[in-house]
Amino acid sequence: MKDTDGLRAHMRRHRAILAPKFATVDRVFSEQLGDTGLATWTRPTGGYFVALRVLDGGAREVVRPAAEAGIAVTPAGATHPHDNDPDDRVIRIGPTYPTLAELEQIAYGITVCVRLAGYERLTAQH
């Protein structure tokens, strides 16, 4: 990277690798969570993370079974200062490392955890 053009070319290569991964996460989340009211998520056009927002008080309830299933997820609260999300709502998803095939399985697994935690929360409220 000798100059700005070299840096831009390098970043375009990164985008070519990462864009399909972010698209996979968005597709699976949209299919599985889109109309449920259980979660929303960012659709970043840059950066390395998707912010998944679940029902208030539910982030830890999503991360725990995901970890038990072998899905490496950033700890709940990691998006906030001192790892303290006051609403226990935001989960940072980093789709950059896994292969596309692995990532699709991971995304489906996360949505299962979101649905379980969300429906348990909703059921407990009634």
Side-chain angles (χ1 to χ4, degrees):
M1 291 183 270
K2 298 176 184 169
D3 55 21
T4 306
D5 290 336
L7 177 60
R8 285 189 183 112
H10 179 76
M11 294 311 289
R12 279 192 297 275
R13 289 190 297 275
H14 272 279
R15 172 176 238 141
I17 293 167
L18 298 180
K21 293 180 178 197
F22 280 89
T24 296
V25 170
D26 186 55
R27 177 181 53 79
V28 172
F29 283 8
S30 294
E31 289 171 2
Q32 299 297 311
L33 301 172
D35 294 325
T36 64
L38 298 174
T40 60
W41 54 95
T42 58
R43 292 172 172 94
T45 56
Y48 295 95
F49 300 101
V50 172
L52 175 64
R53 290 181 198 88
V54 298
L55 299 177
D56 283 354
R60 284 178 178 79
E61 293 173 18
V62 171
V63 169
R64 184 178 354 92
E68 290 170 0
I71 300 171
V73 180
T74 304
T79 56
H80 289 70
H82 308 289
D83 296 331
N84 182 24
D85 174 358
D87 298 318
D88 187 27
R89 184 166 192 201
V90 181
I91 303 164
R92 185 171 60 196
I93 307 296
T96 57
Y97 181 74
T99 67
L100 275 175
E102 292 168 335
L103 185 59
E104 186 170 43
Q105 290 180 331
I106 290 165
Y108 276 111
I110 290 169
T111 65
V112 168
C113 296
V114 169
R115 288 162 104 53
L116 287 171
Y119 292 143
E120 285 176 3
R121 279 192 109 36
L122 293 174
T123 303
Q125 293 174 358
H126 296 322

